[in-house]
Amino acid sequence: MSEKYLIGVDGSDHSRAALKWGLARATERGAAVELIHVADDSFLSESVAFLSEAQAASEQMLAHEIERARTELGFTGEIAGTAVVGHPIAEVEAASKQADLLVLGAHTGGKFAGSVFGTRAVKIAAVAHCPVAVIPAEQEDAGRGVVVGVDGSEASKRAIAFAAEEASFRGVPLIAVYAWMPPLTPGLEYLWSEELVTAQQAAAEESIAIGTAGLAERYPDLEVRREIVQAPPVTALLQVAETAEMVVVGSRGRGGISRLLLGSVSHGVLNALPCTTVVTRAE
């Protein structure tokens, strides 16, 4: 059974960057595509007439983007669409239950677009039931390699599995990053001896080796680069991702109201958005 990609569209340049990326990936992998457009009803009158007009406008937008996918972008695979009036986060979360990948657009440089799928990309990534790819509206010459953070958590393991499969499929290096920082107490930095720093480095090397264990057997041709960076996790990932084509981060997944909050690392990377960023789930 083929995969299904859900792509958020709203007619903006940012969502069209996501559409182009998502269709290209679907073509490569033989995946089916569903486009979704949500007319935000937060500021709409509750009258039947207004809601009916909003639904019609949503359907028109969706039909236009499907036509664009076929004619301008040349997509020949299976494609369908869903046009609804409602709360964007709730509607996309529900739709993501039936998808293998959700693709959204956003500005480069941490300033998300004013469109539905720009401003809310972070929140949607926090509640989606499948991996979420957030695509910069403007990308410089794509780098090479897939970057992933390693920290031993279940979220990290899911991210590594996704990143390794992606790197293997694309024939590019997997760049595993382990970030560490000595506990800093102002005025007491001198207590950190050379021996302690060496011990921390050794522990980091052991952790990244464990985190990437088994990849060589599963992907014999995959080049795995292991980088240990003495910096906060977000800083380390962004530093390495400057020359990469994709960075993958894990979301630990939470219940209740906190489901709308990503972890500090995934949130920080999404806000900076150095390149295409995928947030995986750890249910």
Side-chain angles (χ1 to χ4, degrees):
M1 184 175 179
S2 66
E3 290 185 317
K4 176 183 174 181
Y5 296 167
L6 181 67
I7 306 176
V9 295
D10 60 15
S12 68
D13 290 341
H14 317 100
S15 78
R16 287 181 174 176
L19 178 62
K20 182 178 180 180
W21 186 92
L23 293 178
R25 182 186 172 92
T27 298
E28 291 174 346
R29 297 180 177 243
V33 170
E34 179 180 354
L35 307 188
I36 182 170
H37 178 264
V38 183
D40 191 347
D41 65 357
S42 301
F43 304 100
L44 296 178
S45 165
E46 294 183 0
S47 74
V48 175
F50 274 100
L51 295 178
S52 178
E53 286 188 22
Q55 179 65 36
S58 183
E59 292 173 357
Q60 183 177 15
M61 166 63 70
L62 188 67
H64 184 271
E65 292 303 297
I66 290 177
E67 178 66 17
R68 183 172 180 275
R70 289 293 194 197
T71 58
E72 186 174 333
L73 298 177
F75 183 66
T76 59
E78 180 182 343
I79 187 169
T82 298
V84 294
V85 177
H87 192 286
I89 295 174
E91 296 294 344
V92 176
E93 177 191 3
S96 73
K97 295 178 181 179
Q98 307 301 322
D100 296 291
L101 180 69
L102 169 61
V103 185
L104 304 174
H107 270 308
T108 298
K111 297 187 180 296
F112 284 104
S115 63
V116 165
F117 294 107
T119 56
R120 292 171 178 159
V122 172
K123 290 182 179 179
I124 291 173
V127 301
H129 297 268
C130 64
V132 179
V134 183
I135 316 302
E138 298 178 0
Q139 299 190 68
E140 303 297 333
D141 293 338
R144 189 169 185 272
V146 178
V147 174
V148 64
V150 179
D151 65 10
S153 67
E154 283 301 316
S156 173
K157 292 176 183 177
R158 291 287 186 94
I160 293 168
F162 185 99
E165 193 280 333
E166 186 74 19
S168 176
F169 183 86
R170 293 177 177 274
V172 299
L174 173 69
I175 308 168
V177 179
Y178 185 93
W180 71 279
M181 285 288 290
L184 297 178
T185 302
L188 297 180
E189 291 86 352
Y190 66 91
L191 293 178
W192 272 83
S193 66
E194 183 177 342
E195 290 77 11
L196 286 174
V197 172
T198 300
Q200 285 292 312
Q201 181 72 13
E205 292 173 355
E206 180 180 7
S207 295
I208 199 169
I210 293 173
T212 56
L215 294 181
E217 290 74 18
R218 186 168 185 178
Y219 304 106
D221 297 326
L222 176 63
E223 176 187 355
V224 180
R225 300 177 187 172
R226 299 171 179 83
E227 298 201 17
I228 298 172
V229 183
Q230 187 174 335
V234 173
T235 301
L237 287 170
L238 294 179
Q239 175 183 318
V240 179
E242 286 181 354
T243 56
E245 60 196 86
M246 177 183 290
V247 57
V248 183
V249 292
S251 171
R252 285 171 170 78
R254 295 181 172 87
I257 294 176
S258 60
R259 288 167 63 242
L260 292 177
L261 301 175
L262 284 177
S264 59
V265 174
S266 50
H267 189 277
V269 173
L270 272 182
N271 275 331
L273 205 64
C275 56
T276 293
T277 300
V278 176
V279 180
T280 59
R281 305 296 300 169
E283 300 293 350

